[in-house]
Amino acid sequence: MRRYETILILDPELSAEQRTPVVERIRETLLREGGTLVRIEEWGTRRLAYAIRKKERGWYARFDYCSGRAAVNEIERFCRIDERVLRFLTVLLDPRPDVERILEEASRAETQAAAAAQASAPSEDLGTAAPGAETSAAEPTAAEPSAVENAGPAASAEEA
């Protein structure tokens, strides 16, 4: 088993519902072939270095996984024949990875990211900003609680 990464560039005009089957197909292929998916990073739409099929932008995703060569061959075969995929690239990261250590590091990183997101959520709900962050005059601060309480439905529509 080796560690690989595959980067996909999909057609940017696809909706999220149209991109999901491509991502799920790759995930299912890895699991069916006995591979281990470490992480999927969806980078979103970015400008391409050069036009591909007359498109200046592409939707990027990165798959980090451990598997045998059969899974890589199947993923690449799927990417070649699927018209939604503009480009793909698979790179060997490690010929002899320690899968348990990689999965532990990935789960630890996800836990830390979730904790950081949860820790920042209460300060955003109160309307306070992080140190060094700018606030606009339209945003109520903790010193002006009556502006939020007495604003009514019109202000809540503006906030959304």
Side-chain angles (χ1 to χ4, degrees), residues 60-123:
Y60 285 74
R62 177 182 174 267
F63 296 84
D64 185 356
Y65 56 95
C66 297
S67 72
R69 188 64 195 160
V72 175
N73 288 340
E74 180 60 25
I75 289 170
E76 289 183 347
R77 186 191 70 78
F78 169 72
C79 290
R80 269 190 227 87
I81 62 175
D82 194 322
E83 292 181 3
R84 297 171 288 191
V85 178
L86 297 178
R87 289 285 192 271
F88 67 93
L89 177 68
T90 301
V91 178
L92 175 65
L93 296 177
D94 189 1
R96 294 187 185 102
D98 183 6
V99 179
E100 286 102 25
R101 184 184 56 80
I102 292 169
L103 292 176
E104 285 176 17
E105 289 175 3
S107 66
R108 194 174 326 126
E110 288 176 12
T111 304
Q112 290 174 350
Q118 189 176 20
S120 67
S123 66

Side-chain angles (χ1 to χ4, degrees), residues 5-158:
E5 79 173 358
T6 298
I7 298 178
L8 291 178
I9 304 175
L10 299 179
D11 189 337
E13 297 171 359
L14 297 174
S15 68
E17 294 81 26
Q18 293 170 320
R19 287 189 304 257
T20 302
V22 176
V23 173
E24 288 302 315
R25 171 78 184 262
I26 292 173
R27 179 185 308 209
E28 290 170 3
T29 300
L30 281 171
L31 297 176
R32 186 179 63 243
E33 296 291 334
T36 303
L37 183 62
V38 177
R39 175 182 300 143
I40 297 175
E41 296 174 3
E42 295 181 353
W43 294 346
T45 304
R46 296 178 179 216
R47 183 167 169 74
L48 298 171
Y50 55 90
I52 301 172
R53 295 188 206 158
K54 299 183 181 180
K55 303 208 185 291
E56 298 291 326
R57 302 183 70 75
W59 187 86
Y60 285 74
R62 177 182 174 267
F63 296 84
D64 185 356
Y65 56 95
C66 297
S67 72
R69 188 64 195 160
V72 175
N73 288 340
E74 180 60 25
I75 289 170
E76 289 183 347
R77 186 191 70 78
F78 169 72
C79 290
R80 269 190 227 87
I81 62 175
D82 194 322
E83 292 181 3
R84 297 171 288 191
V85 178
L86 297 178
R87 289 285 192 271
F88 67 93
L89 177 68
T90 301
V91 178
L92 175 65
L93 296 177
D94 189 1
R96 294 187 185 102
D98 183 6
V99 179
E100 286 102 25
R101 184 184 56 80
I102 292 169
L103 292 176
E104 285 176 17
E105 289 175 3
S107 66
R108 194 174 326 126
E110 288 176 12
T111 304
Q112 290 174 350
Q118 189 176 20
S120 67
S123 66
E124 292 174 1
D125 292 339
L126 296 175
T128 59
E134 296 180 24
T135 59
S136 67
E139 294 179 358
T141 61
E144 303 170 355
S146 60
V148 175
E149 295 171 358
N150 297 328
S156 64
E158 292 173 1

